[in-house]
Amino acid sequence: MLKMTSLRRLVHSRVLLHLSESPGVHSSLPRCARLLSTSSRCRTVMPAWVIDKYGSNEVLRFTKNASFPIINYPNEVIVKVFAAGLSPIDVAMRGGYGAATLSMKRDPLNIKQSGSEFPLVLGRDVSGVIMECGLDVKHFREGDEVWAAIPPWKQGSLAEFVLLSANEVSHKPKCLSHIEAAAIPYVATTAWSALVNTGGLRKDNCANKRILILGGSGGVGTFAVQMVKAWGAHVTVTCSQNAEQFLRGLGADHVVDYTAGPVEEPLSALEKFDLILDNVGGDTESWALKLLKPWSGAKYVTLVTPFMQNTDRLGVADGMMQSAATVASKALKIRPVVEETFSFSQVPQAFEKVEKGHARGKTVVQISKGGDDV
């Protein structure tokens, strides 16, 4: 496994239960040779939503001629996508967020021309079925149901198929449908990064701690509420009035309506907090720090800027998806919160939904029907 260390450091999402033990060997074989895989299938194109430049929703384009993924390394898998979850990072990437950083990840030697990432497929969450395995893939086989948080420098899940390294996927919990599963990977890894890696929270040290989640009704917020509540924390959240009952149903102990006036005033009247998770941003930090318990190691963690700026700071590491998946599917029975599901033809409408904000969980696109989603 140590042989893969340098490669793993490039993969920020770290979402697999099992790590590949063999180093990848690049293939220069023609598209149909597939001698690095267990399958002799040969396809050249597939349907997908792509962008050819950065911009607003108008840059989204549907095509039936997107390049079919090719297994170039023996530890890779091709996943048939059943459902794709959308997050604010997808909207940001559509507009060019992180373009320079991601270009360096895709082409560290700067060999390719500028714009070589296009046509670009967005979508960071995926739930689907393994269609093809590289020869070194030990823990998966064709037909296995899997889920993943896709690294932002790779082609995404708004396509019929997606190519991933075997250490980026894990087996989907059987208790979740593909639509439910597609709502979890990105928010699970993000919440785990913020609360555990940075916040220092654990199941055995969370009891009676006071946690404040600013903006609790979105994807990360709804996951975080359930996780720390299950660990015994006292959870306060901010949200709009019409989300209060929804969040209380997820376990929130105290809800503050941010539409009723300056939210810092009612929060200042409460007992101080051990940890604040900020999903709102703006001028929040200017007053939120005053709500922390003094001289106690209390922490303020912000997730306003998405993946690229937070990953290194939050320490997204190997095994994170294993931990998050355990939290979601076994130890805590966390409920996936899917606010709305769109069909594959409605991807622009799904982006509009995410862009408007004020979410009640995740927005999911059903790419194809299969299994318990039929």
Side-chain angles (χ1 to χ4, degrees):
M1 280 191 274
L2 293 177
K3 297 178 181 179
M4 290 294 292
T5 300
S6 59
L7 177 59
R8 288 197 209 107
R9 285 174 179 163
L10 296 177
V11 186
H12 281 4
S13 56
R14 304 301 178 226
V15 293
L16 175 61
L17 289 168
H18 309 285
L19 299 176
S20 172
E21 297 183 350
S22 301
V25 180
H26 183 71
S27 170
S28 58
L29 293 171
R31 177 180 294 273
C32 293
R34 296 199 185 281
L35 297 181
L36 292 174
S37 75
T38 58
S39 171
S40 59
R41 293 188 185 95
C42 178
R43 289 183 58 176
T44 59
V45 295
M46 65 176 179
W49 282 90
V50 302
I51 62 172
D52 302 300
K53 60 181 179 179
Y54 298 116
S56 59
N57 228 27
E58 288 71 25
V59 300
L60 291 167
R61 173 175 67 89
F62 179 75
T63 177
K64 293 184 178 180
N65 297 308
S67 296
F68 192 88
I70 308 168
I71 288 183
N72 288 314
Y73 296 87
N75 69 325
E76 291 179 328
V77 296
I78 295 176
V79 176
K80 178 175 175 58
V81 181
F82 283 160
L86 291 186
S87 301
I89 188 177
D90 295 301
V91 175
M93 288 179 63
R94 185 201 64 195
Y97 171 79
T101 301
L102 297 179
S103 177
M104 186 172 62
K105 285 288 188 181
R106 297 183 187 108
D107 183 23
L109 300 180
N110 198 27
I111 296 173
K112 301 176 182 178
Q113 293 182 347
S114 176
S116 61
E117 70 268 30
F118 301 119
L120 178 64
V121 181
L122 301 173
R124 297 303 103 199
D125 287 301
V126 61
S127 182
V129 171
I130 299 283
M131 190 199 91
E132 191 170 333
C133 294
L135 292 178
D136 283 354
V137 175
K138 302 293 193 301
H139 302 294
F140 300 95
R141 63 182 64 184
E142 290 184 24
D144 283 357
E145 294 187 329
V146 295
W147 60 350
I150 303 171
W153 54 88
K154 290 194 171 184
Q155 294 285 38
S157 54
L158 292 175
E160 188 178 11
F161 297 92
V162 65
L163 177 70
L164 293 166
S165 173
N167 62 312
E168 294 166 351
V169 301
S170 63
H171 289 97
K172 178 182 76 67
K174 295 183 183 300
C175 61
L176 299 179
S177 70
H178 287 292
I179 289 175
E180 291 172 326
I184 289 181
Y186 184 82
V187 298
T189 54
T190 303
W192 189 269
S193 299
L195 297 171
V196 177
N197 292 15
T198 298
L201 299 183
R202 302 184 305 275
K203 185 177 181 180
D204 58 359
N205 74 355
C206 215
N208 301 318
K209 284 194 175 180
R210 290 180 54 79
I211 311 297
L212 171 61
I213 299 175
L214 301 171
S217 64
V220 174
T222 55
F223 190 95
V225 167
Q226 296 179 79
M227 187 172 93
V228 296
K229 186 59 187 175
W231 284 351
H234 182 280
V235 184
T236 298
V237 299
T238 65
C239 65
S240 61
Q241 184 180 18
N242 59 13
E244 178 175 350
Q245 291 306 117
F246 163 66
L247 283 165
R248 287 192 183 278
L250 295 179
D253 297 287
H254 188 71
V255 179
V256 176
D257 176 12
Y258 66 75
T259 65
V263 72
E264 57 266 34
E265 293 181 7
L267 289 174
S268 298
L270 301 175
E271 184 182 338
K272 303 293 186 184
F273 297 95
D274 296 285
L275 184 140
I276 298 174
L277 177 63
D278 181 8
N279 296 290
V280 177
D283 64 348
T284 305
E285 189 171 349
S286 64
W287 51 261
L289 295 176
K290 301 173 185 176
L291 304 177
L292 292 170
K293 291 181 179 178
W295 312 107
S296 64
K299 295 184 179 180
Y300 170 86
V301 182
T302 179
L303 290 175
V304 177
T305 51
F307 196 94
M308 276 72 78
Q309 293 181 15
N310 280 312
T311 330
D312 292 333
R313 181 172 62 82
L314 297 181
V316 182
D318 284 335
M320 180 177 300
M321 188 57 185
Q322 177 178 2
S323 302
T326 300
V327 168
S329 62
K330 296 178 182 178
L332 302 184
K333 301 297 181 183
I334 284 180
R335 172 162 62 95
V337 180
V338 179
E339 181 179 17
E340 192 168 353
T341 303
F342 292 84
S343 68
F344 196 21
S345 64
Q346 295 176 310
V347 164
Q349 293 94 314
F351 268 85
E352 290 175 1
K353 173 70 177 62
V354 175
E355 200 163 10
K356 288 177 182 176
H358 307 291
R360 303 288 181 271
K362 283 294 291 280
T363 296
V364 175
V365 177
Q366 186 169 28
I367 307 296
S368 59
K369 292 186 176 182
D372 48 15
D373 292 329
V374 174

Coordinates of all heavy atoms in Angstrom, one line a residue, residues 238-239 256-267 287:
T238 N -29.1 27.5 13.1 CA -29.8 28.7 12.5 C -30.4 28.3 11.2 O -29.8 27.5 10.4 CB -28.9 29.9 12.3 OG1 -27.9 29.6 11.3 CG2 -28.2 30.3 13.6
C239 N -31.6 28.8 10.9 CA -32.3 28.4 9.7 C -33.4 29.4 9.5 O -33.7 30.2 10.4 CB -32.8 27.0 9.6 SG -34.0 26.7 10.9
V256 N -32.7 28.7 15.9 CA -32.8 30.2 15.8 C -33.1 30.6 14.4 O -32.5 30.3 13.4 CB -31.5 30.9 16.3 CG1 -31.6 32.4 16.1 CG2 -31.2 30.5 17.7
D257 N -34.2 31.4 14.3 CA -34.7 31.9 13.0 C -33.9 33.1 12.5 O -34.0 34.2 13.1 CB -36.2 32.2 13.1 CG -36.8 32.8 11.8 OD1 -36.1 32.7 10.7 OD2 -37.9 33.3 11.8
Y258 N -33.1 32.9 11.4 CA -32.3 34.1 11.0 C -33.1 35.1 10.2 O -32.6 36.2 10.0 CB -31.1 33.6 10.1 CG -31.5 33.0 8.8 CD1 -31.9 33.8 7.7 CD2 -31.4 31.6 8.6 CE1 -32.2 33.2 6.5 CE2 -31.7 31.1 7.4 CZ -32.1 31.9 6.3 OH -32.5 31.3 5.1
T259 N -34.4 34.8 9.9 CA -35.2 35.8 9.2 C -35.9 36.8 10.2 O -36.5 37.7 9.7 CB -36.2 35.1 8.3 OG1 -37.2 34.4 9.2 CG2 -35.6 34.1 7.4
A260 N -35.8 36.5 11.5 CA -36.5 37.3 12.4 C -35.7 38.6 12.9 O -36.2 39.4 13.6 CB -36.8 36.5 13.7
G261 N -34.5 38.7 12.4 CA -33.7 39.8 12.7 C -32.2 39.4 12.8 O -31.9 38.3 12.5
P262 N -31.3 40.3 13.3 CA -29.9 39.9 13.4 C -29.7 38.7 14.2 O -30.0 38.7 15.4 CB -29.3 41.2 14.0 CG -30.2 42.3 13.7 CD -31.6 41.7 13.7
V263 N -29.2 37.6 13.6 CA -29.2 36.3 14.3 C -28.2 36.3 15.5 O -28.4 35.5 16.4 CB -28.9 35.2 13.3 CG1 -27.4 35.2 12.9 CG2 -29.2 33.8 13.9
E264 N -27.2 37.2 15.4 CA -26.2 37.2 16.5 C -26.8 37.6 17.9 O -26.3 37.3 18.9 CB -25.1 38.1 16.2 CG -25.4 39.6 15.9 CD -25.6 39.8 14.4 OE1 -26.1 38.9 13.7 OE2 -25.3 40.9 13.9
E265 N -27.9 38.4 17.8 CA -28.5 38.8 19.1 C -29.1 37.7 19.9 O -28.8 37.5 21.1 CB -29.6 39.9 18.8 CG -29.0 41.2 18.2 CD -30.0 42.3 18.0 OE1 -31.2 42.0 18.4 OE2 -29.7 43.3 17.4
P266 N -30.0 36.8 19.4 CA -30.5 35.7 20.2 C -29.4 34.7 20.5 O -29.4 34.1 21.5 CB -31.6 35.1 19.3 CG -31.4 35.6 17.9 CD -30.7 36.9 18.1
L267 N -28.4 34.5 19.6 CA -27.3 33.6 19.8 C -26.5 34.1 21.0 O -26.0 33.3 21.8 CB -26.5 33.4 18.6 CG -27.1 32.6 17.4 CD1 -26.2 32.6 16.2 CD2 -27.5 31.2 17.9
W287 N -18.7 38.2 14.3 CA -19.4 38.1 15.6 C -19.5 36.7 16.1 O -19.7 36.5 17.3 CB -20.9 38.7 15.4 CG -21.7 38.1 14.3 CD1 -21.9 38.7 13.1 CD2 -22.4 36.9 14.2 NE1 -22.7 37.9 12.3 CE2 -23.0 36.8 13.0 CE3 -22.6 35.8 15.2 CZ2 -23.8 35.7 12.6 CZ3 -23.3 34.7 14.8 CH2 -23.9 34.7 13.5

